[in-house]
């Protein structure tokens, strides 16, 4: 079971790659409080303030292909639906736009229609818009 988003971003693959792989980039569209690594095999940490409680997520960096692909595996998250899932970001330059594809995959089917999975889908709707805004306008809506 996967969550997928495909859209165009009016920017370069360099800008999208920076948004996905750097501290400044992640803070611009996803997590205002994070520690981001740029080394395959190491873990990045994102923290979110949810109703006064800090929620921390950990992701192992699996793939870094500049201008093409980034992938992470979720190795820590209080939301049990995320553990063992993969986040994959693919990009391809086409003229002055980037064809962008995001997949958050490998969810266990038992979570279909359940609140933790539905909350995840809604969250990615927000953050994919935030990523697009950050890459195109320089300002996203991170939490």
């Amino acid at each position: 079971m996967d969550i997928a988003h495909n859209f165009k971003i009016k920017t370069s693959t360099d800008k999208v790659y920076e948004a996905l792989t750097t501290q400044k980039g992640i803070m611009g569209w996803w997590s205002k409080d994070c520690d981001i690594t740029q080394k395959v095999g190491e873990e990045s940490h994102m923290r979110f303030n949810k109703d006064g409680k800090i929620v921390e997520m950990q992701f192992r960096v699996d793939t870094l292909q500049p201008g093409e692909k980034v992938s992470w595996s979720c190795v820590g998250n209080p939301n049990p639906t995320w553990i063992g899932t993969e986040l994959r970001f693919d990009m391809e330059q086409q003229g002055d736009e980037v064809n962008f594809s995001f997949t958050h995959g490998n969810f266990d089917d038992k979570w279909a229609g359940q609140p933790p999975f539905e909350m995840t889908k809604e969250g990615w709707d927000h953050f994919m818009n935030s990523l697009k805004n950050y890459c195109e306008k320089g300002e996203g809506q991170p939490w």
Side-chain angles (χ1 to χ4, degrees), residues 110-141:
K110 73 180 181 180
W111 296 109
Q114 299 298 314
F117 181 73
E118 295 304 313
M119 180 181 72
T120 298
K121 285 179 13 183
E122 290 172 13
W124 282 124
D125 288 344
H126 169 82
F127 288 118
M128 288 296 101
N129 282 328
S130 180
L131 173 65
K132 182 175 172 66
N133 288 336
Y134 175 75
C135 291
E136 291 182 347
K137 301 172 185 169
E139 188 172 330
Q141 299 78 37

Side-chain angles (χ1 to χ4, degrees), residues 35-37 39 41-45 58-61 75-76:
D35 299 301
I36 304 302
T37 184
K39 293 185 181 176
E42 292 188 359
E43 292 181 13
S44 291
H45 298 256
Q58 296 90 34
F59 300 93
R60 182 185 64 237
V61 177
V75 295

Side-chain angles (χ1 to χ4, degrees), residues 1-15:
M1 191 166 62
D2 296 345
I3 297 168
H5 290 265
N6 298 290
F7 52 94
K8 295 184 184 305
I9 305 173
K10 292 181 183 180
T11 193
S12 68
T13 55
D14 289 344
K15 177 66 178 175

Side-chain angles (χ1 to χ4, degrees), residues 37-87:
T37 184
Q38 293 182 307
K39 293 185 181 176
V40 171
E42 292 188 359
E43 292 181 13
S44 291
H45 298 256
M46 285 90 165
R47 290 169 289 280
F48 301 88
N49 187 333
K50 183 169 175 144
D51 302 323
K53 181 182 176 191
I54 301 301
V55 175
E56 183 168 342
M57 304 176 180
Q58 296 90 34
F59 300 93
R60 182 185 64 237
V61 177
D62 296 326
T63 308
L64 293 173
Q65 295 176 340
E68 295 179 25
K69 177 178 152 183
V70 173
S71 69
W72 304 328
S73 295
C74 183
V75 295
N77 192 316
N79 180 341
T81 62
W82 285 54
I83 304 299
T85 60
E86 180 184 82
L87 287 75

